[in-house]
Amino acid sequence: MASISSYLTFSGNCLEAMTFYKECLGGELVLQTVGESPLAAFMPSHMKHYVLNSTLTNDTLVLMGSDMVPETGLSHGNSISMMLRCNSEEQARTYYSRLATDGVPTHPLEDTFWGAVFGDLTDKFGNHWLLYFEKKSNA
């Protein structure tokens, strides 16, 4: 089965961001810096500490990131969000609270007319998150 994972690009603070996401969401974080890779000999020395690739996994959650900014530069838009489907309302509230730390909680978690708990926020790194928990029907 094919799957899609979120891949975030940062400008020198990928390690900080991915560590923050690990603290918020749990899981295992694996990363490689430019200095630890075969690219080290071809890159400017100031980039040795930059993250070449990182992956945070927790059950079915996969979040990837890098400091490898394209030559055109890094720009945040509002056309991409990370949808975080949670296993419980408690998990949604915990993740929301953690991810909103030093960010902007744009839409607090609330019960919706379609039978879910839903909310969104922009985290301190400028990334937009949608958090969702679908309540089970008692009917």
Side-chain angles (χ1 to χ4, degrees), residues 60-95:
T60 59
L61 180 140
V62 177
L63 181 62
M64 302 173 78
S66 174
D67 281 319
M68 304 309 291
V69 176
E71 288 183 22
T72 57
L74 182 64
S75 63
H76 281 283
N78 61 359
S79 62
I80 298 177
S81 301
M82 283 162 296
M83 172 66 99
L84 187 52
R85 293 181 181 267
C86 298
N87 296 324
S88 68
E89 184 172 344
E90 178 183 0
Q91 183 181 56
R93 294 195 182 284
T94 298
Y95 286 173

Side-chain angles (χ1 to χ4, degrees), residues 23-25 84-101 105 107-112 115-121 129-135:
E23 291 169 0
C24 291
L25 306 171
L84 187 52
R85 293 181 181 267
C86 298
N87 296 324
S88 68
E89 184 172 344
E90 178 183 0
Q91 183 181 56
R93 294 195 182 284
T94 298
Y95 286 173
Y96 188 96
S97 175
R98 290 175 183 172
L99 288 166
T101 302
H107 180 175
L109 286 173
E110 64 182 2
D111 289 327
T112 64
V117 173
F118 177 82
D120 69 295
L121 61 96
W129 293 79
L130 304 167
L131 286 88
Y132 177 89
F133 168 66
E134 186 171 347
K135 294 183 172 187

